[in-house]
Amino acid sequence: MSYITVKDLSVGYDGVAVEKNINFTVEKGNYLCIVGENGSGKTTLMKTLLGLRSPLSGQIEYGDGLKKNEMGYLPQQTVVQKDFPASVKEIVMSGFEGSAGLRPFYTKAEKEEAAANMERMGISDLAGRFYRELSGGQQQRVLLARALCATKKILLLDEPVSGLDPLVTAQMYELIAGLNKDGVTIIMISHDIEAAVKYASHILHIGSDIFFGSKNEYLKSSAAKGFLATEKGGEN
């Protein structure tokens, strides 16, 4: 069974749908990129998958042993979050809060896992630094390490390279691709269609056209042709 199966889903807020009739599946090991026009409901869809918003209609089914609290989430950063007055280690460790319940302490195993995830993200030397002192790229690595503490199964990433310079963006994409190769399933919202096509195994396009399929199928679709033409036109 799939990790996530979405059937005839409508998403929105205050009872108003921003997107209707969404259908797709996410299998273990997939790298799904969600693309589409601004305002098409990509972030709303991701929050609905996480249970942070309720579906207006339709179904979301979780399977293959996946539970809602086993999904790591990296939201778009706000100015307040970037200035958060906590240490790198404290933020990474907070990824365990969803599974710790009311337990007021972290276990030895959790501390070891947090250290391993910081090593994996290349930020072990930053453990004692204040988060707000870090560069944008370093902050995103911290948040990825935090998300990995919440799950070994699936990460949901909302524009994880937003505001980063080209070199750091490329490094972040390679880092995420490496996690996927190590077995972590990825669902990522991206405005970067070139990166989506390069790294993703599957594409979900929402907006005036809705498409779900492999990236090769997407490139042949009418949804892709219209979107790519619009994107290129916007660059002139």
Side-chain angles (χ1 to χ4, degrees), residues 21-32:
N21 301 319
I22 305 171
N23 294 272
F24 66 95
T25 58
V26 180
E27 307 288 344
K28 183 177 181 179
N30 281 174
Y31 190 141
L32 172 68

Side-chain angles (χ1 to χ4, degrees), residues 63-136:
D64 202 8
L66 179 69
K67 300 174 184 176
K68 277 187 182 181
N69 67 352
E70 293 179 314
M71 295 190 288
Y73 179 39
L74 198 164
Q76 290 188 45
Q77 279 210 85
T78 65
V79 173
V80 172
Q81 288 168 328
K82 288 181 179 180
D83 199 37
F84 198 65
S87 74
V88 166
K89 184 177 180 180
E90 287 171 333
I91 288 178
V92 173
M93 291 294 297
S94 71
F96 293 112
E97 289 178 356
S99 58
L102 298 176
R103 173 163 44 86
F105 60 88
Y106 296 113
T107 66
K108 180 181 178 182
E110 287 171 339
K111 292 176 182 177
E112 290 174 348
E113 186 175 343
N117 286 330
M118 285 190 284
E119 179 71 26
R120 198 175 186 183
M121 295 296 104
I123 56 170
S124 295
D125 59 327
L126 303 177
R129 293 271 303 278
F130 279 111
Y131 178 77
R132 63 188 178 192
E133 298 173 350
L134 306 181
S135 68

Side-chain angles (χ1 to χ4, degrees), residues 5-17:
T5 302
V6 172
K7 299 178 180 178
D8 300 325
L9 183 69
S10 293
V11 299
Y13 37 87
D14 298 329
V16 179

Side-chain angles (χ1 to χ4, degrees), residues 9-225:
L9 183 69
S10 293
V11 299
Y13 37 87
D14 298 329
V16 179
V18 292
E19 193 58 80
K20 301 177 180 179
N21 301 319
I22 305 171
N23 294 272
F24 66 95
T25 58
V26 180
E27 307 288 344
K28 183 177 181 179
N30 281 174
Y31 190 141
L32 172 68
C33 268
I34 303 173
V35 302
E37 300 86 355
N38 289 336
S40 59
K42 299 185 292 294
T43 295
T44 303
L45 170 59
M46 184 167 280
K47 288 182 176 180
T48 305
L49 294 177
L50 288 158
L52 302 176
R53 289 192 179 277
S54 298
L56 298 184
S57 63
Q59 293 180 307
I60 304 173
E61 298 174 357
Y62 303 92
D64 202 8
L66 179 69
K67 300 174 184 176
K68 277 187 182 181
N69 67 352
E70 293 179 314
M71 295 190 288
Y73 179 39
L74 198 164
Q76 290 188 45
Q77 279 210 85
T78 65
V79 173
V80 172
Q81 288 168 328
K82 288 181 179 180
D83 199 37
F84 198 65
S87 74
V88 166
K89 184 177 180 180
E90 287 171 333
I91 288 178
V92 173
M93 291 294 297
S94 71
F96 293 112
E97 289 178 356
S99 58
L102 298 176
R103 173 163 44 86
F105 60 88
Y106 296 113
T107 66
K108 180 181 178 182
E110 287 171 339
K111 292 176 182 177
E112 290 174 348
E113 186 175 343
N117 286 330
M118 285 190 284
E119 179 71 26
R120 198 175 186 183
M121 295 296 104
I123 56 170
S124 295
D125 59 327
L126 303 177
R129 293 271 303 278
F130 279 111
Y131 178 77
R132 63 188 178 192
E133 298 173 350
L134 306 181
S135 68
Q138 289 171 329
Q139 288 184 342
Q140 289 299 77
R141 286 172 182 260
V142 172
L143 296 179
L144 264 180
R146 179 186 185 277
L148 286 169
C149 287
T151 182
K152 296 182 179 69
K153 294 182 177 180
I154 184 168
L155 293 178
L156 284 75
L157 314 174
D158 191 349
E159 300 278 14
V161 300
S162 179
L164 303 182
D165 66 47
L167 176 60
V168 177
T169 293
Q171 292 171 343
M172 186 62 65
Y173 279 136
E174 288 297 324
L175 202 58
I176 295 167
L179 292 174
N180 183 241
K181 288 175 183 175
D182 288 343
V184 180
T185 302
I186 302 292
I187 300 177
M188 181 174 76
I189 294 173
S190 179
H191 68 276
D192 186 344
I193 192 64
E194 288 186 14
V197 170
K198 179 178 179 181
Y199 292 103
S201 61
H202 294 76
I203 304 285
L204 173 64
H205 180 118
I206 62 175
S208 52
D209 290 308
I210 296 180
F211 171 91
F212 170 69
S214 71
K215 65 179 176 184
N216 290 331
E217 291 169 338
Y218 177 65
L219 288 171
K220 298 173 185 175
S221 71
S222 58
K225 290 173 183 174

